[in-house]
Amino acid sequence: MTSLPPLVAPSTEPLSPEELARYSRHLALPGIGIEGQQRLRAARVLVVGAGGLGSPALLYLAAAGVGTIGIVDDDRVEVSNLQRQVIHGGSDVGRPKVASARDAIAEVNPHVTVRLHEQRLDAGNVLDVLAGYDLVLDGTDNFATRYLVGDAAEIAGIPCVWGSIFRFQGQVSVFWATPPGGEGVVYRDVFPEPPPPGTVPDCATGGVLGAMCGTIGSVMATEAVKLVTGAGRTLLGRLAVYDSLELTWRHLTVRADPQREPVTGLLSGDQAYEAFCGLAPVPVGAGAVRPAVAGGLFESLSGPTAEGRLAVDLAQVSEESGGRGLPGAGTVLGAPVRGPDVAPSGVLAASEDVDPPAGPAPHIATRAPGGPTGRGGTTTSGPVGAPAGAGPAPTSLTPRELAARLADPDDDLLLLDVREDWETQIVGIDGARVVPSGVYAGPDARAALADLPRDRTVAVLCKVGGRSDRVAGLARAVGVDARNVEGGVLAWVRDVEPGRPTY
């Protein structure tokens, strides 16, 4: 992809003496100069997510002199955010992130107009929110919102700068369906299918290098500045993969899928995008942009609740230099990249806060009235060895049901906490047996499963329900009456012990 023309026309009002002094380092740059700075002043940029990626992007967009910045986020600042979300400070804990970010931007550059969108994007509001902006930066941490923002940007005809992070790796690219004078590529071209729910690690467990958020977020801001001013060559048609441990960048060519139908309307129905990602029941009558998904996703949905924060983007792509695949990359859980001249390989990156897999869970579920597969209304054929005709056994219980059973002196239920030790030090439930979920997927898995009792119920707990659901499935496959605690310890705090710490 060659350089693109400037996205935004320059403002007609000359720069003030104060602005000339503030932006003097920009004014000396070829490709920006006074005209480019006036383009930045006239630009309207929407940033979705004021978290790890949105924080540095917002600060640098403001410092660069972007005239209007919109911020979309419905979360509040938590202590655990401060390790990487640098736009917020200790005094902001408990405040809405949009308000905290607005105040930080005002300190950086009082010339910037900030618009706050303290709401969760959905199919009913996203087009209205995007209206009036020249481009959008997607720093979100879940697949449902990524597909939603990508579809909305395609409908609105504006570019989308996208980033994703996990542990020591990150990805960043530019998506645009209809760039002037060039071939467009959008998020659905690169990631046509979300990974199966519950098969993604999380930053709460796997971790993320806070400083790397600054690296990827700053690149996102740089791409936005290049799009606005027309300077340089953007990442449209390329996906940049960053490895902070090796301090390397790989550029991977991405192409439009010639067989993909253009997005002309959003998925319809409440939680339609969550359903597309396997996080909610499929809405009746969901129509537009509903591709077929391998594995019967729309026939049998399972996984964590819609509040679970998904974390991994897996793609099959090729390096620009010769189309070679990434060493050691696999296609397990991957969404195939569509398009010509693309050789298979795999790229891993991720974002924040969802429970990781504990390995494949060989339990067969059938849909029961009132709930999709794998959720509260799920039933199975029962533990191995259950008496014939005993009927389906429950596979989950709510936090309140767990509390009632723990309080019953005649109930010998075993509570198995599959979180990491450090997580249990933040908040735990008295009497739980702690065995990290990774044990059940490692070389000691057989022994760990054999250690579980067959003569009493085992309630399996994690942070939000993903890891525990996997471990419970493994346990049921070997004859244990294992039940997933819905919503994990966060739901326990919400429903049973409000006021206890969360993370």
Side-chain angles (χ1 to χ4, degrees):
M1 177 66 65
T2 58
S3 298
L4 296 169
L7 180 65
V8 178
S11 64
T12 57
E13 182 181 348
L15 298 176
S16 68
E18 198 280 332
E19 288 175 303
L20 291 172
R22 175 182 288 269
Y23 305 126
S24 61
R25 303 304 189 270
H26 267 182
L27 305 183
L29 288 175
I32 296 186
I34 288 181
E35 183 177 285
Q37 196 61 51
Q38 289 176 308
R39 294 183 191 278
L40 289 168
R41 180 209 268 168
R44 300 158 299 176
V45 178
L46 179 68
V47 178
V48 184
L53 296 178
S55 289
L58 285 165
L59 291 173
Y60 276 108
L61 290 172
V66 171
T68 301
I69 297 176
I71 311 171
V72 180
D73 205 307
D74 69 336
D75 284 343
R76 291 178 177 269
V77 180
E78 299 178 0
V79 171
S80 62
N81 300 150
L82 303 181
Q83 170 254 6
R84 63 202 177 280
Q85 300 181 17
V86 294
I87 204 167
H88 312 298
S91 62
D92 296 313
V93 171
R95 297 183 66 202
K97 287 186 178 180
V98 292
S100 171
R102 174 200 59 205
D103 294 348
I105 288 173
E107 285 293 316
V108 170
N109 192 344
H111 299 285
V112 176
T113 298
V114 181
R115 297 176 182 170
L116 304 187
H117 305 275
E118 189 179 354
Q119 59 194 118
R120 182 177 294 274
L121 290 182
D122 57 35
N125 62 26
V126 66
L127 293 176
D128 290 335
V129 172
L130 263 64
Y133 289 100
D134 301 302
L135 74 156
V136 58
L137 274 66
D138 180 5
T140 58
D141 58 6
N142 67 87
F143 283 109
T145 307
R146 290 175 185 170
Y147 281 101
L148 174 67
V149 172
D151 288 353
E154 182 170 356
I155 294 170
I158 63 175
C160 175
V161 181
W162 164 84
S164 179
I165 53 172
F166 179 64
R167 287 186 174 171
F168 300 98
Q169 293 185 315
Q171 294 177 358
V172 62
S173 189
V174 172
F175 300 122
W176 197 355
T178 54
E183 177 187 347
V185 59
V186 299
Y187 186 77
R188 283 189 183 270
D189 289 319
V190 184
F191 306 107
E193 300 165 2
T199 57
V200 288
D202 76 325
C203 291
T205 300
V208 62
L209 182 65
M212 193 186 62
C213 298
T215 303
I216 301 300
S218 295
V219 172
M220 294 173 69
T222 300
E223 290 301 298
V225 169
K226 288 159 61 180
L227 285 165
V228 169
T229 63
R233 177 191 178 198
T234 72
L235 282 172
L236 182 64
R238 295 180 294 160
L239 190 150
V241 182
Y242 177 63
D243 184 330
S244 63
L245 289 183
E246 297 294 330
L247 202 61
T248 59
W249 285 93
R250 295 176 185 269
H251 284 180
L252 310 169
T253 300
V254 292
R255 305 285 191 203
D257 178 2
Q259 298 180 341
R260 185 185 69 84
E261 292 293 327
V263 175
T264 58
L266 299 174
L267 289 167
S268 59
D270 293 339
Q271 293 191 313
Y273 282 84
E274 288 83 355
F276 171 67
C277 295
L279 303 176
V282 179
V284 175
V289 202
R290 182 177 172 178
V293 178
L297 176 63
F298 285 97
E299 286 71 40
S300 179
L301 300 177
S302 62
T305 64
E307 286 71 32
R309 307 288 181 88
L310 295 182
V312 174
D313 288 325
L314 291 165
Q316 292 169 264
V317 288
S318 70
E319 290 181 290
E320 288 189 322
S321 55
R324 299 185 304 275
L326 292 178
T331 59
V332 178
L333 311 182
V337 168
R338 309 270 176 89
D341 304 321
V342 178
S345 77
V347 182
L348 172 66
S351 195
E352 300 187 25
D353 299 38
V354 78
D355 281 296
H363 100 272
I364 300 172
T366 58
R367 182 172 304 213
T373 300
R375 302 292 297 278
T378 300
T379 62
T380 73
S381 57
V384 175
T395 60
S396 65
L397 71 168
T398 67
R400 289 191 177 95
E401 290 170 340
L402 174 62
R405 295 196 60 173
L406 290 174
D408 184 351
D410 296 324
D411 195 326
D412 60 354
L413 175 142
L414 169 67
L415 178 58
L416 176 66
D417 192 330
V418 296
R419 295 177 297 151
E420 300 297 312
D421 287 338
W422 66 264
E423 295 179 86
T424 66
Q425 294 174 29
I426 298 173
V427 60
I429 301 176
D430 291 341
R433 178 192 295 183
V434 179
V435 182
S437 62
V439 172
Y440 296 96
D444 298 324
R446 187 182 299 272
L449 289 168
D451 192 44
L452 296 175
R454 268 58 173 177
D455 58 351
R456 54 183 173 143
T457 300
V458 178
V460 190
L461 176 82
C462 67
K463 181 183 179 183
V464 297
R467 284 171 284 176
S468 53
D469 188 48
R470 288 286 178 143
V471 173
L474 289 168
R476 285 193 297 271
V478 297
V480 178
D481 178 17
R483 307 185 189 185
N484 181 41
V485 179
E486 297 174 1
V489 74
L490 296 188
W492 172 275
V493 172
R494 181 194 66 210
D495 297 342
V496 179
E497 294 189 275
R500 296 198 65 189
T502 58
Y503 63 105

